[in-house]
Each structure stands twice: as structure tokens, then as C-alpha cells.
Amino acid sequence: MSWANSWLIAITGYAILLAWPISTLVLVWFAVRYNGTHRAKVINKAVAGGDGRPQHFWVIVPALNEEAVVANTVNAALRLRGPAGTLARVLVVDDGSDDRTPEVLSAIDHPRLSVMRRELPNARQGKGEALNAAYRFISERTAEAGVSPERVVIGIIDGDGQGSENILVEVSRLMRDTKVGAVQVQVRIRNRNKLLGAVQDLEFGAIVDACQNLRDVLDTVGLGGNGQFSRLSTLQALGSAPWSSCLVEDLELGLRMHLGGVSIRYTSRSSVTQQAVVDVRRLTRQRTRWAQGNMQCAQYLMRLFSSRRIARTALAEMLHYLLSPWANAMVTVAIIVMGASGTAGLLIGHPVPFLPTWAVLAESGAIWIAVTTFPGLLWAVVHRNKRGDEGLSRMLVAALAYPAFLVLGLAATYRALGRQASGRQSWAKTERLVEEPILQPVAA
């Protein structure tokens, strides 16, 4: 290897080494300074004086073999109240379940609960198609009742999801601004008593929360699969099938809304909780699906570049989000090349300039370990200060495990590249854990 190539690899390594902790420091500073509830004074005035507050709420629960959790999810959704006691109607889409999900649902007798049973061959064509069927059902009911679609909000709560008591009130507050077409609430992990659950809550409760708050400022908030709320009129503007067959149909929906000039807000004042995936193999499978879905959304890059509705700063953030799986893959290759070239040089007696001795190699490894551990420790402190529902020592332990969590994510990225290249799209469902039952609310 030439000296020029050796120094190029060294410079690349140092750039990679410094980029992550520096970007983390900036994001942590923002997370500490920004309370996540207001974008700007002009937006606050629009919220305070707007007349777009919704009057009707529907909560869609997509269910495929959710016998372990669907009763709790439905009962929790039926308890949700909006402003002035407005009650949500719940629509469960049973997407061809072959476990006891139909029996569990039939045992819930409540006037505000509707169950849509989809049978094969129409069933099991992806979460997006199940949501589209529910959306069309709600559109028909809304038209029959003579209600304006602008006053109707559709929320998505996954089969294992449970919304906080104030979730409809907070969504309604933000949607008083008529420019707001959708709201994404914070996502938290319920079963964080185990290490993998705690690490995932560190991710959602601190890191993702800070990123979404930054996007809220830039008006680039992304929709998540759980805890998204959209005006019916906003969805209708996207046609009869707002959700696609993309593996991350929520991300694609958010991109289509932004391209259409729709404003999406994020709030951490309310939240939806979900179960952590506490098995490494299943967690890798989940993250592979997410990474592959991001790759599929790369088809929107040219439309984002050419859009006149998206500011340059907002465009930069969107591109970062869409390109991150590809960037992660390339960074991993660079790290492997650096380590392999340095080690090989020492073994054959021709060390490269940036790793002249085994001692320097060991020091470099120690620095890399410190750098990869540092961001997680910062986020543990942020999580403790902002959430306050977990001890600092527990979050610090989760932070120490965070680098391994990132390695798992890199492995998932490469699996996603392979699946995307081979055209594989099918996925096994994420298994749920049985929880203590939630009592059914009194009919009202």
C-alpha cells in the first residue's frame, strides 16, 4: 500500500472517529436546550388562534396474530379521551389472523369498537394494505355522517401499543393550526426491565426524541409506524391508498406528505408505548426490515431535490435520514479496511504510517472503544434528566451496551442490502409478550 493511500485511510479514519461524537454533542446540546413542545413563536400563535381542532377521532389497530396483546391495546384505546371528553372510536383490522385473535376480539363488547376481518387472498399483503382498507372504511362512514374530513383524525396504534391518557388532547392542540396535517407522538418502551429493552428505550426516549425535536424545528418530522395521527382530509389528498407496500410505509407516507406541502408536528408531551424486542435474532430481523425500507424510500431522492416546497436545511436533514443506511455500510467498510491494513502491515513487517507499532494499534483500538461508548453515556444522562422514570445507573448500563447495539444495526444494514439486491420482501411477524390484562372501560 502506498504512503498516499495509507494517509488517505488515516484521514478517513480520523474523520469518522470525530464525526460521531461531535454530532452527538450538538444533538445533546439541542436536546437539553429545546423542550420539544414548541417550534417557533409564529407556530405557537397559529396553534393558539387556529380553528382546525378535530372533532372526531378514529384509532386504527392493525392486528395479525396479536392474541397476546390485542385485548390490552383495544381496551387502552377505548379509554382515550380528547378535548371536552371527546371519545375515540377504535377500528381493529384483523389481517387474516390464524391464532386466537378473532376470539379475543369477539369477547370485547363495546359500542365504539369495530372489527374488520380481512380474509385471504386479500389479507396479509402488508401493513400498508390493512391500513388502507381501514382508511377507506372510515372515509365511507365519515361521508355518510356528513362530517368534514378536516375535522376527523385517524391515529395508528400498533397491536402492542398503548397511548398515554392525554394523547388525543395533545394531538388536538397541535392540529388547531390548520396547516398541520399530521402529528407524531413520542414512542417509549414498556418492558424495559431487561437490558435489551432498556437500550431500546434509551434509543427511543432520548436519541430518537432529540432527532424528532430537531426535525420539528426544520419542519421535516418523520412519521413512525406507531403513534402517528393524520387528518382524514390529508390522507384523502393522497388518494385511495395513502399507505404503500413499502417495508416502512410510515416513512414513505411522511415523505409524500412533505412533498405535498403538509406540515407534520412532533410532540413529546404525549406518548405511545410498545413492547421491546428482547431476542437478539428477532431484533436483528426487525432492524433489517427498517433498513431495507429506508433503502426503498431512496426512490424519493430526486423528487426531494427538485421540490420547491422543502427548504435546503430541511432537505439536508431528510437526505441524511434516507442515506444513513448506505453511509453506515460504507463507514463499516472503511473501519474494516483500516484495521485490516494496519494489522496486516505489522504482521508482515511493513507497517503502515498511521499504525507503525503494535502499541499504536492497541492505543487506536482503545480510542475507538472510548469514542463509541461516549455518545451512549451522554444519552443516558439526557434520558434520566428528560424522562425521569429510570435510574441513572440503569441507563448507564444500557449506554455501555449501546455500542454492541450499533454493531447489530450495522449487521442488519448489510442484511438489508442483500435482501434488497435479491428482491426479497417477505417478513415474519414480530412475536409479542403476554402482559397483565387491562380492564375494559365502561361503555360511553
Side-chain angles (χ1 to χ4, degrees), residues 199-213:
V199 175
Q200 289 169 70
D201 195 57
L202 177 67
E203 176 188 38
F204 283 109
I207 304 172
V208 173
D209 179 65
C211 291
Q212 286 282 52
N213 279 323

Side-chain angles (χ1 to χ4, degrees), residues 295-358:
M295 293 172 185
Q296 292 174 344
C297 287
Q299 62 178 304
Y300 288 92
L301 288 174
M302 293 307 299
R303 291 176 61 184
L304 291 171
F305 270 117
S306 59
S307 175
R308 296 183 178 180
R309 290 173 168 169
I310 300 175
R312 296 301 95 180
T313 52
L315 175 62
E317 199 285 328
M318 287 184 175
L319 294 179
H320 170 265
Y321 189 75
L322 286 176
L323 296 175
S324 58
W326 307 93
N328 290 340
M330 290 186 290
V331 166
T332 305
V333 170
I335 293 173
I336 293 173
V337 169
M338 287 176 57
S341 62
T343 303
L346 291 169
L347 288 172
I348 65 176
H350 295 285
V352 294
F354 58 89
L355 290 174
T357 66
W358 288 104

Side-chain angles (χ1 to χ4, degrees), residues 248-289:
V248 283
E249 74 294 324
D250 46 290
L251 172 60
E252 184 175 27
L253 176 63
L255 290 173
R256 293 175 65 196
M257 286 184 179
H258 283 300
L259 287 168
V262 175
S263 179
I264 304 176
R265 297 295 309 277
Y266 171 76
T267 178
S268 52
R269 283 184 168 182
S270 58
S271 64
V272 60
T273 63
Q274 63 187 37
Q275 287 187 351
V277 182
V278 294
D279 176 83
V280 173
R281 180 179 59 84
R282 294 168 183 168
L283 181 61
T284 304
R285 186 175 66 199
Q286 179 199 65
R287 298 310 167 105
T288 302
R289 176 172 58 84

Side-chain angles (χ1 to χ4, degrees), residues 18-36 202-218 220 266 317 320-321 374-376 378-383 386-387 402:
L18 294 173
W20 187 25
I22 290 175
S23 61
T24 298
L25 283 171
V26 172
L27 195 54
V28 166
W29 173 84
F30 178 82
V32 172
R33 291 288 300 270
Y34 186 73
N35 63 14
L202 177 67
E203 176 188 38
F204 283 109
I207 304 172
V208 173
D209 179 65
C211 291
Q212 286 282 52
N213 279 323
L214 177 60
R215 293 170 190 151
D216 197 39
V217 172
L218 298 175
T220 61
Y266 171 76
E317 199 285 328
H320 170 265
Y321 189 75
F374 172 71
L378 281 180
W379 287 120
V381 176
V382 172
H383 187 287
K386 297 199 74 172
R387 306 281 81 87
Y402 188 60

Side-chain angles (χ1 to χ4, degrees), residues 14 17 354-355 357-370:
Y14 285 123
L17 182 70
F354 58 89
L355 290 174
T357 66
W358 288 104
V360 174
L361 178 62
E363 290 173 2
S364 299
I367 292 173
W368 272 103
I369 292 174

